[in-house]
Amino acid sequence: MDCMRIQSTLSHSHSKNWKYDVFVSFRGDTRFNFTDHLCAALRRHGILAFRDDTRLEKGGPISAGLLQAIEGSQVLIVVFSMNYASSKWCLQELAKIADCINIPGHRVLPVFCDVSPSEVRKQSGNYEKAFVEHEERFKKDAEMMEQVRRWRAALTQVASLSGWDLKDKSHSAEIEKIVKTVTKILGPRSSSSLSNDIVGMEFPLQKLGKLLVLDSDDDVRVVGICGMGGIGKTTLASRLYEKISYQYDVSCFMDDVSKTYRDCGSLGMKKQLLCPAFMEEDSLICNILMADNLIENMLHDRKVLIVLDNVDQRIQLEKLALKREWLGRGSRIIIVSRDEHILTEYGADEVFKVPLLNDENALQLFCRKAFKCNHVAKDYEGLTDSALAYANGLPLAIKVLGSFLFGRDVSEWSSALVRLKETPTKDIMDVLRISFDGLEDPEKEIFLDIACFFPNDIENYVKDILRIRGFHPDNGIKVLIEKSLITRDRWKITMHDLLRDLGRSIVREKSPKKPRKWSRLWNHKDLSNVLRENKPAENVEAIVLPTNDEIREELSLKALSKMSRLKLLKLGQVKVNFSGKLHFLSNELGYLSWKEYPFTCLPSRFQPTQLVKLILRYSNVKELWKGIKYCKQLKWLPSTLLPIGEGSHGRLYYGGIFVFNCPNLSDTESCGVTVISWMIKMIQVNMQSSSPRCVIQVVIPGTEIPRWFNNQNEGSSMKLDPSPILNDNNWIIGIACCVTFVVHDTPTQLPEEPKYPGDLGCGFRLRSGGSYFAVPIRLKKDLITTELDHMLLIFFSRDRIIDHYTSHLKEGRCDLDGIELATLSEYPKEIIQVKSCGYRWVCKEDLEQLNSTMMYSANSSTQNKKGKFLAIQ
């Protein structure tokens, strides 16, 4: 490497590196009272004070080390007492201190303990007596007599400076004033341990300062700092503390509150708050009541700054019992946590989410660690890009990785970066895992599913799969966001690459070389190995391969049949040349998606009772027994498909059957009747549950909207009449919608690969925005070879349209005027043309009388006019 020198670009408040903050010159008569209390107060505020308690006055000159301590101290405090001038040693210190008055950076502060400033300045009273003795003693020594004259001048010079006269004043109050003055002189100071890690702090510090409203003393504010592990929360809080702590009467930075509470309990936390800020010894604090009283009394009406670092449980804040009303105006509390919910529940006024480093700052930090300079060494440019892509803006990863690579040659870098993709760095994973270990079991499972399968995917789609898996994604995803394990970006959820790697390493950790023992499989290599081994894989619960993954090996299907716990199977664009037959899958299978399915028939033993979705696009399947699919070679569907049980615990049930682009269906009307019969049964089953909540979709061949949908319109949208629900007494159970559309055969405009997760969506639109449910129809060139008309039918339970929308409207249901049924396509009408749409408010009586002929046949008559529905037409 051609770069080995560190070049610091950090700004410093002072040009000189001081050895000590404060030097205290004093006579022994104040050692155990005022001076002792002053030095203790300085220490409590993190001020490094030098005082010479070991000196023995033997008449000789003060040591060179003492002179260096004076020169190396920024603030020089002289405590003048009654007997100060009788000490030759003190006067020698004073002469040196006087020499420093005119040196830039030094500041001299006199304190008059039991003597008046005038007595010191004029050397009268006891000071006069002392100098009579000195002059008598050295009258025959010309050199020492010159020193005595210098001492007199020093006394006059220092005593003339602005300082503190303690006569008839409270020593403790004056000490507070002295400490406050010293902290202002010292100002913000950078920690040497942080100096090389402070990159990209300017914007976060400015943002945090605005949230804290530092220029106002009107109130007490609590601000939270949150973010994923290793993102720099503690570094940011420490840097801010260094910059602003001098402005407060009391300041305390509580390191690792979580560890303190775990090791020492609530009393230990209270001592950590009290001892650095108020006293030297904690042995006097023997119980919680005493600690609480001390905290309240000590903090009362004082302007304080308290930083609580690494709070990972709400109970830690509860046990600390730090109340806002105790604090003086202008006080600030900063709480650092990975869990945003802890901060909001505590009542933080603002929460600052620490961002990842941008590319420029990430590069700067990496160079400091990997090259010990601010630029990339020659021949390392491409490898640096790879390393930064792996770290993805996470400061911890950048520092660990850069430090590890420092001093290594190009080949070592290449090898290390390849190995990192297979085995993440333990130092990084250990920090990130803390957040995972703090999750409850259901949230751990959701985290692992997202890490393995959906680290960057559409939120509604991910929630759909998680529901099928039996999880509660609405709450689970919210928890993961609050704990900084995932983020929401509009309609997508994303997970940092290193958190993704963490989740996958957790799945692998017990049997890293045996994927058949993992709970999840996410790449074709591991699945190939499992299938090739043909051994029981009873731990596997889910298999999801990327959309563009391909398998071309000759594999046996017997291993799939042995996955008794398999609930999710999604093989994307996999092209497999399998040998053997699939006899059965797990009865717990809830989702099966296979875009290019290799079989012509699924036998009758394939009966997954929990199946919600089975998607087999553009495959060769010609016969199905108990399967539910839409395929290019599909010949027929069975006449009966059994409904699936309703969702449990009141969660939203979301299911569907999609028969799309199946030109070889021998009887499209029978297919439509079969699918809609299933849909009706699904609605009926779910509506009988204690908390009916469902969205059920089907796509089937069809050209006209059935007359049962009594509100119809040509085009892709139409206004809804909300009058039936304005005075609704809960007898409307939902709304059924129908859309007819055609996908045109336009090879020049169709994409090589599907662009979107759902190319057609249906939902409801208000002035303030809309909410759509996408249908998993993905378009691809050379697969849409026939222009077929299709119908999309969706049933929304009442909460999906009525309760969901009215809960957000200022005027309640009256504000539903203007709501529209609308379709949304990611493609122009030259590719996807929506021809017509319609809807019907569905009441309980409708559901009892509803049959597939009504919902499918375009020639069906309007339902019984004596029904309640007529009253709201």
Side-chain angles (χ1 to χ4, degrees):
M1 298 184 187
D2 62 357
C3 179
M4 300 294 289
R5 291 182 300 128
I6 183 68
Q7 301 169 2
S8 175
T9 60
L10 299 175
S11 61
H12 296 277
S13 58
H14 309 103
S15 59
K16 182 174 181 178
N17 293 321
W18 302 102
K19 187 174 182 180
Y20 302 101
D21 296 323
V22 175
F23 180 95
V24 182
S25 177
F26 64 97
R27 184 74 164 95
D29 52 357
T30 67
R31 175 181 289 117
F32 300 114
N33 41 68
F34 177 82
T35 300
D36 203 38
H37 297 317
L38 173 62
C39 292
L42 292 170
R43 284 198 300 273
R44 288 196 298 269
H45 285 75
I47 297 170
L48 181 59
F50 179 94
R51 70 170 183 175
D52 184 15
D53 282 333
T54 61
R55 62 175 179 251
L56 297 176
E57 297 194 39
K58 297 181 178 180
I62 59 175
S63 66
L66 202 58
L67 294 175
Q68 291 173 2
I70 294 172
E71 293 174 351
S73 299
Q74 185 176 357
V75 179
L76 306 168
I77 297 178
V78 182
V79 181
F80 291 117
S81 59
M82 185 180 297
N83 296 317
Y84 184 91
S86 64
S87 168
K88 186 183 73 170
W89 193 289
C90 287
L91 293 173
Q92 290 178 8
E93 285 181 352
L94 181 70
K96 181 64 177 178
I97 290 171
D99 291 342
C100 295
I101 290 178
N102 295 320
I103 297 177
H106 284 290
R107 182 74 177 274
V108 179
L109 302 176
V111 179
F112 305 93
C113 191
D114 52 8
V115 63
S116 71
S118 175
E119 186 176 345
V120 178
R121 191 166 50 250
K122 298 177 180 178
Q123 293 98 57
S124 60
N126 287 328
Y127 278 60
E128 182 182 12
K129 294 178 182 178
F131 271 89
V132 168
E133 293 178 2
H134 292 317
E135 290 170 345
E136 177 64 27
R137 181 180 179 184
F138 300 121
K139 62 183 178 181
K140 296 182 179 181
D141 189 332
E143 183 177 346
M144 285 303 301
M145 285 299 293
E146 180 61 30
Q147 285 290 324
V148 172
R149 285 191 291 273
R150 185 185 174 201
W151 296 342
R152 283 186 178 276
L155 282 170
T156 301
Q157 186 178 12
V158 173
S160 299
L161 299 173
S162 177
W164 291 267
D165 185 356
L166 304 183
K167 184 179 180 181
D168 300 327
K169 295 178 182 177
S170 166
H171 284 197
S172 61
E174 295 303 299
I175 285 174
E176 277 198 35
K177 294 178 183 178
I178 296 171
V179 172
K180 196 168 185 178
T181 299
V182 171
T183 54
K184 287 183 178 180
I185 293 170
L186 297 176
R189 292 164 293 154
S190 297
S191 167
S192 58
S193 62
L194 291 177
S195 59
N196 201 34
D197 295 339
I198 300 177
V199 171
M201 286 283 182
E202 291 78 9
F203 170 76
L205 284 171
Q206 290 175 6
K207 180 69 174 178
L208 199 51
K210 290 180 180 178
L211 297 179
L212 285 163
V213 195
L214 293 174
D215 57 352
S216 171
D217 285 344
D218 292 340
D219 59 1
V220 176
R221 290 184 65 79
V222 178
V223 171
I225 300 176
C226 78
M228 65 181 289
I231 204 168
K233 300 182 297 299
T234 299
T235 302
L236 178 61
S238 299
R239 179 61 173 158
L240 180 69
Y241 182 83
E242 290 179 346
K243 287 176 69 68
I244 68 174
S245 60
Y246 72 95
Q247 303 173 14
Y248 295 84
D249 299 331
V250 175
S251 57
C252 177
F253 192 107
M254 291 182 62
D255 292 302
D256 205 341
V257 173
S258 174
K259 184 177 187 302
T260 302
Y261 179 72
R262 186 172 61 250
D263 296 345
C264 308
S266 58
L267 183 59
M269 288 194 301
K270 294 175 189 294
K271 286 183 176 182
Q272 188 179 4
L273 175 62
L274 279 169
C275 297
F278 304 115
M279 58 184 62
E280 291 188 78
E281 300 294 335
D282 63 11
S283 57
L284 298 176
I285 307 173
C286 55
N287 59 60
I288 291 177
L289 180 61
M290 175 185 287
D292 286 340
N293 290 334
L294 280 171
I295 291 174
E296 182 177 3
N297 293 332
M298 295 290 190
L299 296 181
H300 188 68
D301 289 338
R302 302 177 82 180
K303 182 180 178 182
V304 303
L305 171 66
I306 297 173
V307 178
L308 308 176
D309 186 35
N310 192 26
V311 176
D312 63 3
Q313 293 180 28
R314 162 77 181 186
I315 193 174
Q316 294 158 5
L317 297 176
E318 292 175 351
K319 294 296 185 181
L320 185 59
L322 184 61
K323 299 180 180 180
R324 287 194 194 204
E325 55 266 29
W326 294 347
L327 310 181
R329 294 170 62 180
S331 294
R332 298 293 183 263
I333 300 175
I334 300 172
I335 306 173
V336 181
S337 177
R338 300 185 185 192
D339 191 339
E340 184 181 1
H341 184 66
I342 290 175
L343 304 174
T344 55
E345 189 180 11
Y346 182 73
D349 299 296
E350 300 283 353
V351 175
F352 178 68
K353 295 184 178 180
V354 182
L356 294 166
L357 292 179
N358 61 29
D359 292 344
E360 180 183 355
N361 290 325
L363 176 61
Q364 184 181 11
L365 179 59
F366 181 78
C367 288
R368 289 185 180 185
K369 295 296 181 180
F371 305 113
K372 304 302 181 190
C373 66
N374 285 332
H375 62 269
V376 181
K378 186 179 180 182
D379 299 329
Y380 286 81
E381 291 85 356
L383 292 168
T384 294
D385 291 341
S386 297
L388 290 174
Y390 173 80
N392 194 16
L394 187 67
L396 170 69
I398 294 171
K399 289 186 283 188
V400 170
L401 188 55
S403 298
F404 174 76
L405 294 173
F406 170 67
R408 302 180 189 274
D409 60 31
V410 170
S411 62
E412 290 175 306
W413 273 50
S414 299
S415 176
L417 292 174
V418 170
R419 190 175 77 246
L420 280 174
K421 295 180 179 179
E422 300 175 356
T423 309
T425 303
K426 186 176 184 299
D427 290 345
I428 300 173
M429 292 297 113
D430 285 349
V431 173
L432 297 179
R433 177 144 189 174
I434 294 171
S435 295
F436 173 81
D437 290 338
L439 296 173
E440 299 294 332
D441 288 343
E443 282 72 42
K444 285 182 177 179
E445 294 300 318
I446 291 176
F447 172 84
L448 294 177
D449 265 12
I450 294 175
C452 293
F453 306 138
F454 319 112
N456 185 22
D457 222 318
I458 295 162
E459 182 174 2
N460 284 339
Y461 166 68
V462 174
K463 286 183 175 180
D464 182 17
I465 304 298
L466 293 173
R467 288 187 190 100
I468 293 168
R469 291 269 281 134
F471 302 137
H472 301 279
D474 291 323
N475 180 68
I477 285 178
K478 181 180 179 183
V479 169
L480 296 184
I481 291 173
E482 290 172 342
K483 291 186 177 292
S484 307
L485 290 169
I486 61 175
T487 57
R488 179 187 283 121
D489 181 12
R490 299 177 62 191
W491 41 270
K492 292 182 72 177
I493 59 173
T494 59
M495 176 180 283
H496 192 280
D497 292 348
L498 290 169
L499 287 169
R500 175 203 63 196
D501 293 348
L502 168 69
R504 295 179 178 184
S505 67
I506 290 171
V507 170
R508 292 190 299 251
E509 62 186 357
K510 291 184 179 179
S511 303
K513 301 298 183 181
K514 297 180 179 179
R516 63 185 172 84
K517 294 188 176 182
W518 304 349
S519 60
R520 296 159 176 85
L521 299 172
W522 56 88
N523 69 58
H524 79 271
K525 180 181 177 182
D526 294 324
L527 178 60
S528 298
N529 291 336
V530 172
L531 297 178
R532 189 180 294 107
E533 285 183 356
N534 193 23
K535 295 180 180 179
E538 297 178 354
N539 292 328
V540 178
E541 297 179 3
I543 302 173
V544 177
L545 299 191
T547 302
N548 58 355
D549 228 352
E550 293 190 4
I551 304 177
R552 298 188 178 276
E553 298 94 335
E554 294 273 344
L555 299 171
S556 168
L557 286 175
K558 293 181 180 179
L560 273 180
S561 302
K562 296 176 182 178
M563 295 179 183
S564 59
R565 298 178 61 188
L566 188 65
K567 297 179 181 179
L568 170 63
L569 179 60
K570 185 176 186 296
L571 300 183
Q573 297 279 23
V574 173
K575 299 177 180 179
V576 190
N577 183 11
F578 281 113
S579 60
K581 289 186 177 181
L582 177 63
H583 293 293
F584 60 89
L585 285 169
S586 163
N587 285 339
E588 297 184 2
L589 189 68
Y591 185 102
L592 174 57
S593 174
W594 207 326
K595 287 192 176 179
E596 302 197 18
Y597 202 84
F599 302 104
T600 59
C601 176
L602 282 180
S604 58
R605 293 185 66 186
F606 177 63
Q607 302 181 49
T609 59
Q610 303 299 315
L611 189 68
V612 173
K613 280 191 179 180
L614 195 153
I615 305 174
L616 305 176
R617 271 167 278 196
Y618 316 123
S619 75
N620 295 318
V621 174
K622 297 178 182 178
E623 297 181 0
L624 295 125
W625 294 90
K626 298 293 183 182
I628 306 168
K629 348 173 154 37
Y630 62 105
C631 319
K632 198 172 182 181
Q633 300 299 323
L634 186 66
K635 293 284 188 179
W636 58 272
L637 283 174
S639 59
T640 303
L641 296 171
L642 298 178
I644 300 146
E646 76 270 22
S648 60
H649 307 297
R651 72 173 186 267
L652 173 67
Y653 187 90
Y654 179 52
I657 300 176
F658 309 96
V659 182
F660 174 68
N661 196 43
C662 302
N664 290 323
L665 275 174
S666 59
D667 189 344
T668 57
E669 185 170 349
S670 295
C671 167
V673 170
T674 297
V675 174
I676 291 177
S677 295
W678 174 87
M679 182 180 189
I680 293 171
K681 293 173 184 176
M682 288 291 296
I683 296 171
Q684 292 170 337
V685 168
N686 278 276
M687 289 299 102
Q688 291 170 2
S689 68
S690 57
S691 300
R693 302 178 66 229
C694 66
V695 176
I696 300 172
Q697 302 171 300
V698 301
V699 172
I700 53 175
T703 58
E704 297 182 52
I705 296 177
R707 289 172 58 192
W708 182 80
F709 292 86
N710 59 311
N711 300 280
Q712 298 187 21
N713 189 45
E714 291 191 0
S716 61
S717 64
M718 64 181 297
K719 288 187 177 181
L720 265 64
D721 176 14
S723 59
I725 60 171
L726 295 181
N727 299 307
D728 171 41
N729 293 319
N730 292 328
W731 59 275
I732 288 181
I733 62 172
I735 187 171
C737 306
C738 183
V739 174
T740 62
F741 68 96
V742 62
V743 177
H744 294 295
D745 180 17
T746 54
T748 58
Q749 296 190 51
L750 287 168
E752 294 288 345
E753 294 293 337
K755 291 183 179 179
Y756 307 102
D759 292 326
L760 183 67
C762 181
F764 306 97
R765 183 167 58 206
L766 280 167
R767 290 183 295 272
S768 58
S771 176
Y772 299 87
F773 280 78
V775 193
I777 296 174
R778 297 171 175 84
L779 305 183
K780 182 180 177 183
K781 186 178 291 188
D782 300 329
L783 290 174
I784 305 295
T785 56
T786 306
E787 296 193 358
L788 299 175
D789 288 281
H790 291 83
M791 283 197 306
L792 161 62
L793 296 96
I794 308 182
F795 174 80
F796 298 91
S797 59
R798 66 174 290 131
D799 74 293
R800 292 289 89 192
I801 170 65
I802 303 172
D803 300 338
H804 175 74
Y805 278 97
T806 57
S807 64
H808 300 292
L809 298 176
K810 293 181 180 178
E811 302 298 329
R813 294 175 183 173
C814 296
D815 238 335
L816 283 174
D817 287 336
I819 189 171
E820 293 183 341
L821 167 67
T823 54
L824 178 68
S825 171
E826 299 286 357
Y827 286 95
K829 62 182 179 180
E830 288 80 14
I831 298 179
I832 296 182
Q833 179 186 359
V834 178
K835 294 184 173 182
S836 59
C837 57
Y839 72 93
R840 180 185 182 111
W841 295 110
V842 182
C843 62
K844 295 177 181 177
E845 187 174 354
D846 289 327
L847 196 58
E848 295 169 359
Q849 299 174 356
L850 187 57
N851 59 60
S852 58
T853 303
M854 288 182 178
M855 284 190 74
Y856 183 74
S857 174
N859 297 317
S860 62
S861 60
T862 305
Q863 75 167 45
N864 186 352
K865 294 187 178 182
K866 294 182 180 179
K868 289 183 179 179
F869 185 79
L870 291 178
I872 62 172
Q873 284 189 355

